[in-house]
Amino acid sequence: MIVRNAWYVAGWAHELSTTPLARRICNDPIVLFRTEEGEVVAMLDACSHRGAPLSRGAVVKCGIRCNYHGLVFNKEGVCVDIPGQDNIPRKARLRVYPLHEKDNMVWIWMGDAEKADPADILDYPIHNDPVNWPTRYEMAPAKSGYLLLVDNLLDATHLAYVHPDSVGGTSPDVHFKAEMDVQRTKDGVRSERTMKNSPAPPAYTNCVPFTGPVDRWQEFDFIAPAVVLQYSGAVLAGESRKTSQQQRFDMRLFHALTPETDTTSFYFWSASNGHAKNDMSATDLIVEEITKAIVEDKAMVEAQQERLSELGEDWLVDNRSDGVRLLMRQAVERMAKEAQEA
Amino acid sequence: MIVRNAWYVAGWAHELSTTPLARRICNDPIVLFRTEEGEVVAMLDACSHRGAPLSRGAVVKCGIRCNYHGLVFNKEGVCVDIPGQDNIPRKARLRVYPLHEKDNMVWIWMGDAEKADPADILDYPIHNDPVNWPTRYEMAPAKSGYLLLVDNLLDATHLAYVHPDSVGGTSPDVHFKAEMDVQRTKDGVRSERTMKNSPAPPAYTNCVPFTGPVDRWQEFDFIAPAVVLQYSGAVLAGESRKTSQQQRFDMRLFHALTPETDTTSFYFWSASNGHAKNDMSATDLIVEEITKAIVEDKAMVEAQQERLSELGEDWLVDNRSDGVRLLMRQAVERMAKEAQEA
Amino acid sequence: MIVRNAWYVAGWAHELSTTPLARRICNDPIVLFRTEEGEVVAMLDACSHRGAPLSRGAVVKCGIRCNYHGLVFNKEGVCVDIPGQDNIPRKARLRVYPLHEKDNMVWIWMGDAEKADPADILDYPIHNDPVNWPTRYEMAPAKSGYLLLVDNLLDATHLAYVHPDSVGGTSPDVHFKAEMDVQRTKDGVRSERTMKNSPAPPAYTNCVPFTGPVDRWQEFDFIAPAVVLQYSGAVLAGESRKTSQQQRFDMRLFHALTPETDTTSFYFWSASNGHAKNDMSATDLIVEEITKAIVEDKAMVEAQQERLSELGEDWLVDNRSDGVRLLMRQAVERMAKEAQEA
């Protein structure tokens, strides 16, 4: 289920430039670019003349030029130049999609333009604080629907099975017995998991040389329809999470799962380093470890998508650990319903 | 036409182990494995929780564990463990398919489980007689429906066209003028072909250094829906097939054509060596020659499948040499009808 | 829209030989070959016995033999030999398609055979005049419908956008301001473009060392449904196109766009050299330059086809420069209508 009246991450801010970028979002073929003034634009990626993709074109003074017969469309999608003729038919215009640049990301609204309010976009100030939170920005295309990837993030009981050698560690019990605090939020659901006195998983010890078991926390904030903010970390068991600075693992992950089609997605994620802010190699290490985990997740979720595409979902039986995931799904359904009623 | 109430070869016995094997059979995605006690199991390859393939999981003490969230299913397909919760919903169970291990093969029943009777599975004692019949086991995936491969086996007039350099030889007449003895059998059809005083084809002379023309025989036993037992051989022309041991070519081929989908198959075949039982390299030579022939058959039959998928079969015109093939098709149709009536 | 009652180029004459050639035309799988007497034949590429492609077979004395079971079909598509049996069923025959060899090309008629009149095939004597018009013959498969390729040829305003470094040059105005003379013809439309005192594009200067601006001409003769005859050239500005022989670029291009399927085509083209007839390397140079242009065209048109397959064409808005293209489309539609009425 794709909700169109919603903001999705269309790209990292640095991905948009005066070189047009073709990206399919919510099944629509879109060209993303920056005007010469630096403004971001999203437009249907098909010229109104003969359908050629504008992403094969070029950004020019007044907008983007189709490189088939030279038509130019401004940032409102209106054709402003048809070489070789003076009058421009009013129908020569293309759908533009509301875009908003914020926190190093470009957000797109795929539904009714008049309902698009940038004030509804979540805040993620960490992306604007490179001094305290050195950050790297990544993207992985995924052959699964976006909700399966959100499911994956919100049911952490998969960690010891899918990620024994990276972020999970080998003990399922650590995850099943985690203290859980779950709350609905205005836009989704928030869960806090605490795993006291537990072995640090390989991804953590590869980043920080823990000398013993740790107290570990994972916070997941789901904001419908497609973002998960994750705050994970660990300190030596018994130390204070708030104050201890020795042997501290501390990262923020931003996950945005943007539908490409009904069964494929873009997995945008950033990793911000809270424990060694003066050491960029520490951020690189986090990225290396999280990349492993995302490769592992994708392998499982893409295989799951194949089965669900074939067999449907009606026959499936939920677990107790699906609670957070189901609250997430409810939030998305509520959002879809509201969009229809409005 | 796929008959589901029937036994098919799902794999060679040695293919099933405690490492799960994913194989689609009669369009169903299936996971095949052995329990720690060595029992063979076939189960729908999709966890009842979230649809993840169990073939990405692991065999554990009580069955197979999904490596997404750790659910365990026993060999009856019943979920026996959901980590993190005590009660297990009754709906948490997966279809299991009757399996039976016999003669180094694992047979699967894709239809109504209550009709599955292992006593209906054919006997092939040669697979249990490695001293007298040294044997090698092979499998080739084929991009054609299984019946086109059975057709191919039962109309030997293709040999000089498809296999001039391997099992056929260059003279079509040798095959068209073969003495034929055809009989319906309880489960299919049996044909015996005799080619007296004929040139030995390359596949034979590569195995046995014949010094002159041969008397050659080929026996094909089709057992519906999907097995052909072949006994082929040759002795020097005029020698006795029963007793002559000099310049003797003598092999048994077991062919099992298992539907993967409507238009793809698994071609399981074994080759057993009757003329040089103490020489494993003689068996290897047979396999080398038969492999050539199967590559040649597949190229033709896969091209045929493409045409039939596009053009249908209604417009085709049978030949006289289709007799055996048509009796085979009748046997399969009879079987399908009986399955419906019962 | 594919018109079947029409002649299409099925291949260059030299492509057809006693080695069968498989080629799909207007969605039909066809085998093309020459009899031992040199006559060209086009037949459904599927044996009437079991559907195997005849293109995997061999040309024999009386026609073409299927290499599955040896059936032979004569050049009328009638089965004349079924090895191993005397009577041949009347139904054992295959559709043959009218073929006509002319001007180094083999033309095929995909519709009602009784309406096929070779007198309707256009004349292209240049292919028969290698002394005055040394020629090379090429073919490029294209992932677009044939009409999009004809569109492309008939709207030359794309040249400066798609081909700045080859046949277009970098000035769009040269093309938009070209003098145009457009006339409907009996079978299509003819346009003449003249660009006086303009820079020679790279493709021209790579062939002829022009020392200044040129007077340039391009003539396009569209003959429905799928041929464009092009005559392009240039002389130094102010020189006479008719008589000047110094610094003269002069080529004839034959374009035949043959539908393979609704959305794929064969782009047959020949290039004939009129300015350096005694220098085969001059012809090679032309081919090199035109090949660049066709690679550029294909990239754009194949991308366009993807969009049109997804979005349809109803929403598109024509340009003034579409005039020739639209007359072309009208001619094809008229042809389709006549074929229906007749």
Side-chain angles (χ1 to χ4, degrees):
Chain A
M1 180 186 31
I2 295 179
V3 183
R4 291 185 70 97
N5 277 339
W7 290 102
Y8 293 96
V9 173
W12 298 121
H14 71 260
E15 290 185 295
L16 274 72
S17 72
T18 52
T19 301
L21 172 67
R23 191 162 273 169
R24 184 174 294 273
I25 300 180
C26 297
N27 293 307
D28 290 9
I30 288 174
V31 56
L32 297 165
F33 62 95
R34 257 178 222 283
T35 64
E36 291 189 349
E37 290 74 37
E39 216 172 321
V40 291
V41 180
M43 205 178 281
L44 185 72
D45 188 20
C47 180
S48 65
H49 173 218
R50 296 295 301 144
L54 296 178
S55 53
R56 300 187 69 86
V59 170
V60 292
K61 195 155 268 159
C62 339
I64 188 167
R65 186 184 71 208
C66 177
N67 262 354
Y68 198 1
H69 301 96
L71 280 74
V72 176
F73 297 85
N74 70 12
K75 64 187 181 186
E76 280 84 33
V78 175
C79 183
V80 292
D81 189 19
I82 302 181
Q85 76 187 59
D86 295 329
N87 69 313
I88 295 173
R90 296 180 67 192
K91 283 181 60 188
R93 58 187 306 160
L94 294 174
R95 177 170 184 181
V96 287
Y97 298 81
L99 269 197
H100 188 73
E101 189 167 3
K102 183 178 174 183
D103 302 332
N104 286 345
M105 297 176 275
V106 177
W107 297 81
I108 194 167
W109 179 271
M110 299 300 299
D112 309 326
E114 67 271 23
K115 293 184 186 149
D117 183 356
D120 293 338
I121 298 172
L122 64 93
D123 295 312
Y124 196 64
I126 283 171
H127 279 175
N128 298 318
D129 188 6
V131 172
N132 289 308
W133 291 99
T135 296
R136 272 184 52 188
Y137 300 87
E138 305 288 328
M139 193 274 279
K143 296 199 189 76
S144 87
Y146 77 111
L147 287 178
L148 295 188
L149 292 164
V150 184
D151 284 342
N152 179 264
L153 283 163
L154 297 189
D155 184 354
T157 63
H158 77 275
L159 265 73
Y161 301 107
V162 176
H163 310 297
D165 303 324
S166 57
V167 295
T170 53
S171 165
D173 267 5
V174 165
H175 298 283
F176 286 109
K177 295 185 173 157
E179 287 168 36
M180 287 287 283
D181 181 18
V182 180
Q183 312 157 42
R184 285 181 205 237
T185 59
K186 188 172 69 69
D187 301 315
V189 56
R190 175 179 169 78
S191 65
E192 296 187 24
R193 308 176 76 238
T194 313
M195 289 153 283
K196 292 227 164 117
N197 198 28
S198 66
Y204 289 23
T205 54
N206 287 348
C207 290
V208 176
F210 286 107
T211 53
V214 296
D215 288 347
R216 188 175 163 190
W217 65 91
Q218 293 182 308
E219 301 173 9
F220 295 93
D221 236 319
F222 167 69
I223 298 103
V227 169
V228 176
L229 309 182
Q230 179 181 351
Y231 177 25
S232 289
V235 291
L236 271 181
E239 297 284 324
S240 160
R241 167 178 165 182
K242 297 264 162 84
T243 58
S244 176
Q245 293 306 322
Q246 300 286 0
Q247 297 190 30
R248 176 186 188 84
F249 179 75
D250 193 338
M251 73 174 171
R252 304 265 178 178
L253 297 178
F254 180 96
H255 310 267
L257 296 314
T258 300
E260 182 188 37
T261 67
D262 292 332
T263 55
T264 60
S265 315
F266 299 104
Y267 192 151
F268 294 97
W269 60 279
S270 75
S272 304
N273 155 13
H275 59 265
K277 56 185 76 164
N278 296 319
D279 180 3
M280 195 61 196
S281 74
T283 314
D284 294 343
L285 257 184
I286 293 175
V287 168
E288 202 175 297
E289 295 298 324
I290 301 303
T291 297
K292 281 183 209 168
I294 285 179
V295 167
E296 291 161 348
D297 278 328
K298 272 185 49 178
M300 182 61 81
V301 173
E302 293 178 348
Q304 179 196 13
Q305 177 69 61
E306 275 188 48
R307 289 291 181 263
L308 297 185
S309 291
E310 179 177 357
L311 304 170
E313 301 203 26
D314 291 346
W315 58 288
L316 299 177
V317 185
D318 295 327
N319 281 358
R320 197 174 72 95
S321 63
D322 285 312
V324 185
R325 192 180 80 66
L326 292 173
L327 290 173
M328 175 277 283
R329 294 268 182 162
Q330 284 171 16
V332 176
E333 275 157 32
R334 212 159 49 230
M335 199 172 190
K337 213 170 170 182
E338 280 163 14
Q340 277 183 322
E341 281 165 8
Chain B
M1 178 185 34
I2 295 178
V3 183
R4 290 185 71 97
N5 277 338
W7 290 103
Y8 293 97
V9 173
W12 298 121
H14 71 262
E15 290 185 295
L16 274 72
S17 72
T18 52
T19 300
L21 172 67
R23 190 162 273 169
R24 184 174 294 272
I25 300 181
C26 297
N27 293 308
D28 291 8
I30 288 173
V31 56
L32 298 165
F33 62 95
R34 256 178 223 283
T35 64
E36 292 190 348
E37 290 74 35
E39 217 171 320
V40 291
V41 180
M43 206 177 280
L44 184 73
D45 187 20
C47 180
S48 66
H49 172 218
R50 296 295 301 144
L54 296 179
S55 53
R56 301 186 69 86
V59 170
V60 291
K61 194 155 268 161
C62 338
I64 187 166
R65 185 183 71 207
C66 177
N67 262 355
Y68 198 179
H69 301 97
L71 280 74
V72 176
F73 297 84
N74 71 9
K75 64 187 181 186
E76 281 85 31
V78 176
C79 182
V80 292
D81 188 20
I82 301 181
Q85 78 187 59
D86 295 330
N87 69 313
I88 296 173
R90 296 181 66 192
K91 281 180 62 189
R93 57 187 307 159
L94 295 174
R95 179 170 181 182
V96 288
Y97 299 80
L99 268 198
H100 188 73
E101 190 168 3
K102 183 178 174 183
D103 302 332
N104 286 343
M105 297 176 276
V106 176
W107 297 81
I108 193 167
W109 180 270
M110 299 300 300
D112 310 325
E114 67 272 22
K115 292 183 185 149
D117 183 355
D120 293 338
I121 298 172
L122 64 92
D123 295 312
Y124 197 63
I126 282 170
H127 278 173
N128 298 318
D129 187 6
V131 172
N132 290 308
W133 292 100
T135 296
R136 273 186 50 188
Y137 300 87
E138 305 288 328
M139 193 276 278
K143 295 197 190 75
S144 86
Y146 77 111
L147 286 178
L148 294 188
L149 292 164
V150 183
D151 284 343
N152 177 264
L153 283 163
L154 297 189
D155 184 354
T157 64
H158 77 274
L159 265 74
Y161 300 107
V162 177
H163 310 296
D165 304 323
S166 56
V167 296
T170 54
S171 166
D173 267 6
V174 165
H175 298 282
F176 287 107
K177 294 185 174 159
E179 289 170 37
M180 287 286 283
D181 182 17
V182 179
Q183 312 158 42
R184 286 180 204 238
T185 59
K186 190 173 67 70
D187 302 314
V189 56
R190 175 179 169 78
S191 65
E192 296 188 23
R193 308 175 78 238
T194 313
M195 289 153 284
K196 292 229 164 115
N197 197 28
S198 66
Y204 289 24
T205 55
N206 287 347
C207 290
V208 176
F210 285 107
T211 54
V214 297
D215 288 346
R216 187 175 165 190
W217 66 91
Q218 293 182 307
E219 301 174 9
F220 296 92
D221 237 318
F222 168 69
I223 297 102
V227 169
V228 176
L229 309 181
Q230 179 180 351
Y231 177 27
S232 287
V235 292
L236 271 181
E239 297 284 325
S240 161
R241 166 178 166 182
K242 296 267 162 83
T243 58
S244 176
Q245 293 306 322
Q246 301 287 0
Q247 298 189 30
R248 177 188 187 85
F249 180 75
D250 194 340
M251 72 173 173
R252 305 266 179 177
L253 298 177
F254 180 95
H255 310 267
L257 296 315
T258 300
E260 181 189 36
T261 67
D262 292 333
T263 55
T264 60
S265 315
F266 299 104
Y267 191 151
F268 294 98
W269 60 280
S270 75
S272 304
N273 156 14
H275 59 264
K277 56 185 77 163
N278 295 320
D279 180 2
M280 196 59 195
S281 74
T283 313
D284 293 344
L285 258 184
I286 293 175
V287 168
E288 201 175 296
E289 294 299 323
I290 300 304
T291 297
K292 281 183 209 169
I294 285 179
V295 166
E296 291 160 347
D297 279 328
K298 272 185 49 178
M300 183 60 81
V301 173
E302 292 178 348
Q304 180 196 11
Q305 176 69 61
E306 275 188 46
R307 289 291 181 263
L308 297 184
S309 290
E310 179 177 356
L311 305 170
E313 300 203 27
D314 291 346
W315 59 288
L316 299 177
V317 185
D318 294 327
N319 282 356
R320 197 175 72 95
S321 63
D322 286 312
V324 184
R325 192 180 80 66
L326 292 174
L327 290 173
M328 174 277 283
R329 293 268 182 161
Q330 284 171 17
V332 176
E333 275 157 32
R334 211 160 50 228
M335 200 171 188
K337 214 170 168 181
E338 280 163 15
Q340 278 184 320
E341 281 165 7
Chain C
M1 179 185 32
I2 295 179
V3 183
R4 291 185 71 97
N5 277 339
W7 290 101
Y8 293 96
V9 172
W12 298 122
H14 72 259
E15 291 185 294
L16 274 73
S17 72
T18 52
T19 301
L21 172 66
R23 191 162 273 170
R24 185 175 293 273
I25 300 181
C26 298
N27 294 309
D28 290 9
I30 288 173
V31 57
L32 298 165
F33 63 94
R34 258 178 221 284
T35 65
E36 291 190 348
E37 290 74 36
E39 218 173 318
V40 291
V41 181
M43 204 177 281
L44 185 72
D45 188 20
C47 180
S48 65
H49 172 219
R50 295 295 301 145
L54 296 178
S55 54
R56 300 187 68 85
V59 171
V60 292
K61 195 156 267 161
C62 338
I64 188 167
R65 186 185 71 208
C66 177
N67 262 356
Y68 197 0
H69 301 96
L71 280 74
V72 176
F73 297 85
N74 71 11
K75 66 186 180 187
E76 281 84 31
V78 175
C79 182
V80 292
D81 189 20
I82 301 181
Q85 78 188 60
D86 295 329
N87 68 313
I88 295 173
R90 297 180 67 191
K91 283 180 61 188
R93 58 186 306 158
L94 294 174
R95 178 170 183 183
V96 288
Y97 298 81
L99 268 197
H100 187 73
E101 189 167 3
K102 184 179 174 183
D103 302 333
N104 286 344
M105 297 176 275
V106 177
W107 297 80
I108 193 167
W109 180 271
M110 299 300 299
D112 310 325
E114 67 271 23
K115 291 182 187 151
D117 182 355
D120 293 338
I121 299 173
L122 63 92
D123 295 313
Y124 197 64
I126 282 170
H127 277 173
N128 297 318
D129 187 6
V131 172
N132 290 307
W133 291 99
T135 297
R136 272 184 52 187
Y137 301 87
E138 305 288 328
M139 193 275 279
K143 295 198 190 77
S144 86
Y146 78 110
L147 286 179
L148 294 187
L149 292 164
V150 184
D151 284 342
N152 178 263
L153 283 163
L154 297 188
D155 184 354
T157 64
H158 77 275
L159 264 73
Y161 301 106
V162 177
H163 310 296
D165 304 323
S166 57
V167 296
T170 52
S171 166
D173 267 5
V174 165
H175 298 282
F176 287 108
K177 295 184 173 158
E179 288 170 36
M180 288 286 283
D181 181 18
V182 179
Q183 312 157 41
R184 286 179 203 238
T185 59
K186 188 172 67 70
D187 303 315
V189 56
R190 174 178 169 79
S191 66
E192 296 187 24
R193 308 177 76 239
T194 313
M195 289 153 284
K196 291 229 165 115
N197 198 27
S198 65
Y204 289 24
T205 55
N206 287 348
C207 291
V208 176
F210 285 107
T211 54
V214 296
D215 289 347
R216 189 174 163 192
W217 65 89
Q218 293 182 307
E219 301 174 10
F220 296 93
D221 236 320
F222 168 69
I223 296 102
V227 169
V228 176
L229 309 181
Q230 179 181 352
Y231 176 27
S232 288
V235 291
L236 272 181
E239 297 284 324
S240 160
R241 165 178 166 183
K242 297 266 162 85
T243 58
S244 175
Q245 293 306 321
Q246 301 286 0
Q247 298 189 27
R248 176 188 187 84
F249 180 75
D250 194 339
M251 72 172 173
R252 304 265 180 177
L253 298 177
F254 180 96
H255 311 266
L257 297 314
T258 300
E260 183 189 36
T261 67
D262 292 332
T263 55
T264 60
S265 315
F266 299 105
Y267 191 151
F268 295 98
W269 60 280
S270 75
S272 304
N273 155 14
H275 59 264
K277 58 184 78 164
N278 296 319
D279 181 2
M280 196 60 196
S281 74
T283 314
D284 294 343
L285 257 183
I286 293 175
V287 168
E288 202 174 296
E289 295 299 323
I290 302 303
T291 297
K292 281 183 209 167
I294 285 179
V295 166
E296 290 161 348
D297 279 329
K298 272 186 48 179
M300 183 61 81
V301 173
E302 293 177 347
Q304 179 195 13
Q305 176 70 62
E306 275 188 47
R307 289 292 180 265
L308 297 185
S309 290
E310 178 177 356
L311 304 170
E313 301 203 25
D314 291 346
W315 59 287
L316 299 177
V317 185
D318 294 327
N319 282 357
R320 197 174 72 94
S321 63
D322 285 313
V324 185
R325 193 180 80 66
L326 292 173
L327 290 173
M328 174 278 283
R329 293 269 181 161
Q330 284 172 17
V332 176
E333 275 157 32
R334 212 159 49 229
M335 199 172 189
K337 213 168 170 183
E338 279 163 15
Q340 279 184 320
E341 281 165 7

